[in-house]
Amino acid sequence: MISAANASFRDDVLPVLTSVCARCHTGDGPGTAHVRMDTAGEIAANAFDIGAAVSIGKMPPWPASDLGPAYRGDWSLDPKQIDAIVRWAGAGGALDVDPATAVAAAQGPIGLADVDVELRPERGYDGIAGQPDEYRCFVYDPGLREPRHIAGYEFVADQTEVVHHAIGYLIPAGRRAQAAALDGSDGQDGWTCFGGSGLGVRDIFLGWAPGQAPTTFDAGAGLPMGAGDFIVVQVHYHFEVDAPADRSTLRLRWAEESDSSDEIVVGQYFAPAEIPCGPDERGPLCVRSAAMTRALDRYGPDGVQADFILGLCGRTAAQVGVLVDAIASASCDQPVNNPGRVVSVLGHTHELGRSFRMTLNPGRADERILLDIPEWDFQWQFNYVPVEEIVLARSDVIRVECTWDRSLRDPALEPAYVFWADGTDDEMCFATIATVGDGADGGEHGAIAAIVSSLGPTVEGCAVAALPGEAVPSGDELVGALHRCADPSVVAERTVDVVGSLFGASLTDDLRRCLTDRYADAGALAALVDAYTGRADDATVASAAATFADCAPLGSVVARALPQLELSASTIVCLDDNGRADVEDIFTRALRGQTQRVPSVVLSCLSPDELSGALGS
């Protein structure tokens, strides 16, 4: 143990600072606005603050607990390192080197290395203090003339006082004219875009919040972009103070052409957020319907996802919205939508967040925690990259859990019911998991295993013996083997049940029976299996989507997924008559692991009374 008398700056403290702290607190690093460590003298001048921050675990930031896997780039200090810094600072921060001694990060400063493209808006967006939360979408166009893969990216917030967080979307070239029509239409760069990109594309690849480091991928992996594709970044502004026009930067590094065969896929997983007023709070906005009306007025339907996520998770506001000693909590289990090897995991809530956890296969023998943050800090939201190989199968389940502390809400705000919406003072609970590869070892095998094991051990043993070799069987091979081992109608029923897990509460008994009848045909069932394992072409997926739409009119899907709407017969007819394309889109997105959206026809078919009832639920 190091004593105050022999704590050496040169031998005990400086090595820790150069290996960890100097990455943020030297040069242009993000921590230099608070404490500079470019020289030994600057460090000594801040010895007391450094010692205090290290002793209470505030610095260096590493919110993840050891309940999850080990992660790359772990900034946390071991007890010996903490002891050295605290004792040195407590003894007055004496130096045994020249105060002018330069300090440099051993691994280089935080920031994306070898940047190929740096993009920023020409004029940016200039808000004013006190204006409502603004979600602003900006085009970042790298001008691609041929396909490329992104090997690394970094979002650099410009006006950090007002940039709350940012979400990035990869947009196909065919949407360029649509984006151009929106861009700058109000005299400033970008356009207002609550709830998404505003272009009908909701597939996230970038998530930035304070503390986020650059994202880089291993050799051989990358995010694909086609010729003419571009990026839209949705920036959430919260104007508590005045700030100059924001021109946040996006930096990209391309993969070598010979080094980009594996595509990164980012899956999104959600849980509800319902936080009622406390017993001592009073006000009209403590009524959920009133708070919902205000949120819809501010952000529109796309910016208020509370009811959609409740439906996705098969819950109601009354079930989730319970406060115990100022603490609210929620969880949701969802099937894996992006099988493959895990590249990174991230959790997100807003400023009332108390804890976050993401669990793989809860309640099963192979249960494991992917990310545990016992003390949530909005200022430090990282992409965590597991050291070990973790492979997700389509048959796996992800549980997302969040807790919130109502007492953290700004007392200057009007008391209000808090739910999932786009405002800074609203809340969220979601996770992203980036995966690479087609999941052949964990994804396809896992999906096949889920179907086979659903038929029981006897049929499973028979089918395994009948299948050729160890390769992943095609849909025809699997269905052929299962039909030799079990009644075809039972095979169809169990396969539909497994595939139906993609749709959670939306799979009604009538839908299950209809699909079972349709897939009694071996060829149709084989095509469904191929679509489920991710090996079907677009035409096969479209055919499966059409079958789904034949069996599931939109009215029944919405009525089951969102029971709080209490749909009338006329509304159900309206949805059934106008929503076939939306049903096909729901099915296609589920099979492809894409984020679901609320069909626009839902709001157009709802009567005013039904909408009011939905808001009050």
Side-chain angles (χ1 to χ4, degrees), residues 75-446:
W75 292 351
S76 58
L77 304 182
D78 63 39
K80 184 177 179 180
Q81 292 170 319
I82 294 171
D83 180 75
I85 293 174
V86 171
R87 287 175 176 270
W88 168 78
L95 294 177
D96 49 9
V97 299
D98 187 329
T101 300
V103 176
Q107 300 179 27
I110 290 288
L112 184 66
D114 302 322
V115 174
D116 291 311
V117 181
E118 187 165 306
L119 306 167
R120 65 172 57 86
E122 181 178 351
R123 294 167 295 170
Y125 180 72
D126 192 4
I128 59 174
Q131 78 175 67
D133 286 74
E134 169 74 354
Y135 278 64
R136 193 82 178 177
C137 280
F138 300 94
V139 171
Y140 291 81
D141 191 349
L144 291 179
R145 296 185 177 181
E146 60 183 6
R148 299 297 300 266
H149 283 72
I150 299 173
Y153 59 83
E154 179 182 21
F155 180 82
V156 182
D158 177 19
Q159 302 301 322
T160 56
E161 303 93 337
V162 297
V163 176
H164 186 269
H165 72 264
I167 300 292
Y169 304 87
L170 295 175
I171 309 294
R175 302 280 184 167
R176 195 66 179 84
Q178 183 183 356
L182 294 170
D183 195 7
S185 58
D186 61 0
Q188 300 203 62
D189 282 343
W191 61 92
T192 297
C193 56
F194 292 106
S197 67
L199 301 175
V201 177
R202 299 178 61 91
D203 298 324
I204 294 173
F205 84 96
L206 176 156
W208 178 90
Q212 185 63 270
T215 295
T216 58
F217 303 120
D218 291 339
L223 289 159
M225 292 189 72
D229 289 355
F230 59 101
I231 292 167
V232 165
V233 177
Q234 177 202 58
V235 180
H236 176 187
Y237 293 107
H238 186 59
F239 291 99
E240 290 184 328
V241 298
D242 277 318
D246 176 66
R247 299 179 65 219
S248 293
T249 300
L250 181 64
R251 297 170 178 163
L252 303 175
R253 185 174 77 219
W254 302 120
E256 297 295 332
E257 291 186 14
S258 60
D259 198 23
S260 57
S261 57
D262 290 333
E263 296 183 355
I264 300 290
V265 179
V266 181
Q268 301 171 64
Y269 301 88
F270 305 89
E274 299 283 331
I275 309 166
C277 288
D280 297 328
E281 294 181 284
R282 300 288 186 274
L285 293 178
C286 286
V287 178
R288 189 177 189 273
S289 59
M292 181 68 76
T293 298
R294 183 180 68 167
L296 288 169
D297 288 343
R298 287 180 171 180
Y299 313 126
D302 283 342
V304 185
Q305 295 289 316
D307 284 344
F308 172 70
I309 293 171
L310 283 170
L312 178 72
C313 298
R315 308 296 298 279
T316 67
Q319 291 172 328
V320 180
V322 178
L323 206 62
V324 179
D325 296 330
I327 303 300
S329 62
S331 67
C332 185
D333 293 357
Q334 293 142 88
V336 163
N337 58 46
N338 57 324
R341 176 174 61 81
V342 174
V343 174
S344 64
V345 294
L346 174 144
H348 178 74
T349 78
H350 283 184
E351 296 179 357
L352 300 187
R354 186 185 188 190
S355 67
F356 176 91
R357 180 175 289 184
M358 179 178 7
T359 304
L360 173 64
N361 295 329
R364 288 178 16 181
D366 56 347
E367 173 182 333
R368 67 175 306 172
I369 294 172
L370 296 180
L371 178 61
D372 176 65
I373 301 176
E375 296 182 15
W376 178 259
D377 187 339
F378 180 81
Q379 296 301 316
W380 303 110
Q381 300 184 52
F382 300 145
N383 271 316
Y384 295 90
V385 179
V387 173
E388 66 182 282
E389 180 173 284
I390 301 173
V391 178
L392 303 183
R394 190 178 290 275
S395 56
D396 287 336
V397 172
I398 298 295
R399 173 175 293 171
V400 177
E401 301 173 84
C402 292
T403 66
W404 300 268
D405 187 342
R406 177 85 192 188
S407 69
L408 297 176
R409 194 167 188 269
D410 185 350
L413 294 172
E414 181 180 1
Y417 192 109
V418 176
F419 42 63
W420 182 293
D422 277 353
T424 299
D425 300 320
D426 301 309
E427 269 302 336
M428 293 184 178
C429 179
F430 76 84
T432 63
I433 304 177
T435 56
V436 66
D438 60 9
D441 291 335
E444 292 178 5
H445 274 298

Side-chain angles (χ1 to χ4, degrees), residues 19-20 23-24 60-62 72-77 110 211 213 380 382:
S19 66
V20 180
R23 299 199 69 195
C24 286
W62 192 255
R72 297 182 190 175
D74 187 340
W75 292 351
S76 58
L77 304 182
I110 290 288
W380 303 110
F382 300 145

